[in-house]
Amino acid sequence: MNFRFGQKSLFSTSSRQNNALRALVYHKNGNPAEVMRAQTFEPLGKPGPSQVRVKLLLSPINPADINVIEGVYPDAPILRSDLVPKAGASSSLGYDREKPVFVGGNEAIGVVTDAGTAVQEFKAGDRVIFDKSQLGAWATYQNLEAAQLAKVDEDISDVAAATMRINPPTALLMLRSFTTLQPGDWIIQNGANSAVGQAVIQIAAALGVNTINLVRNRPDINNLMIRLHALGATRVLTYNELADKAMKQEVKKWTNGKSIKLGLNCVGGKDTTTMTGYLGKDAHLVSYGAMSKSPISLPTSYFIFKNLTCHGYWQSKWYNDHSKADRLGVYAEIMDLIRQKKVSYAARVTEP
Ligand SMILES: NC(=O)c1ccc[n+]([C@@H]2O[C@H](COP(=O)([O-])OP(=O)(O)OC[C@H]3O[C@@H](n4cnc5c(N)ncnc54)[C@H](OP(=O)(O)O)[C@@H]3O)[C@@H](O)[C@H]2O)c1
């Protein structure tokens, strides 16, 4: 198992012990490095009539997964009192192994190994993703309601499928939901080398929309710029470059005086204030993350004189507010983008 914090990674959930359920669990919120443990549980019974057994193959660690474990995220997994610690097996941290636990992880690709008697839509061998949040992805297998799953097409790789439910739809729907973007329009985003940011770059490029992409400076900044340009970024700037007053004129030259219609923010803090200053009249600022953990402060004049509109976006809410047909429609759209090589899984993802 490869379970690394800091950089996004995928870990393989295949078990060496037949039928034993192995999972990354916690029973109280806190620093993941302190509260998480790997534990072996007694094998689960056969799936119920409306359930399928899913062998989980790969699962990413998204920033929100860490927030869930910390207890600072509005969604949480259910407490699992049905998991019985395997007799004699020790957990990687030796504390109260008898308590009910939460299973970590929100997103995964799995394969159906067994289906309940009433299940029509899945059979053994089907590859599936979760169609519901917080089901507990960091386990070797789970018995899940068939209604909580969605099929993955055969030509979509495991790595792409394991990371297709959260980040690419967030990018696609933010680009679509707040303003109408035409080919040749401009948007600006921070955290541009995040998984969502890379999906924004790729989907915007596929739509013919220009992107100004903001990243933190680093020793190998040129390599990062080359990588983001290769994905389709129109321009890449560091936050320091953006803060330089002369940059406003430079950006006007790039856009040929065209207003920037949309700003996407996953960072917050003063760099977001600076970025918002680049938006044109009637523009929209959409916040979907807060990686710097700093609040956003915006001059009132942006609202009065530029008619700025600010929004929040949460993909989980979108899924909750939409029908199964709508959700399957988005998965199909993302699989099409992957198939056409218009979206690839983020370069931050490391394969196991
Ligand atoms: N609202 C939603 O529905 C939704 C959906 C998906 C993701 N998200 C959120 O979007 C954000 C990105 O998620 P992801 O999975 O794409 O992340 P990711 O691939 O792990 O990338 C994290 C990004 O955050 C940047 N970053 C970290 N700390 C920073 C700081 N103090 N100042 C500036 N930048 C910082 C990193 O930049 P460096 O490379 O410079 O370290 C990197 O670009 C997270 O906050 C996540 O929770 C929200």
Side-chain angles (χ1 to χ4, degrees), residues 42-62:
E42 293 293 346
L44 297 181
K46 274 185 84 61
S50 57
Q51 290 187 322
V52 295
R53 174 160 299 183
V54 181
K55 179 183 177 195
L56 294 158
L57 302 174
L58 280 178
S59 175
I61 304 167
N62 286 312

Side-chain angles (χ1 to χ4, degrees), residues 8 63 167 170 193 195-196 216 218 288 291 313 315 348:
K8 187 187 302 280
N167 294 331
T170 301
N193 61 325
V196 176
R216 288 197 282 196
R218 65 201 68 217
Y288 67 99
M291 290 304 298
Y313 184 78
Q315 189 56 41
R348 293 174 70 78

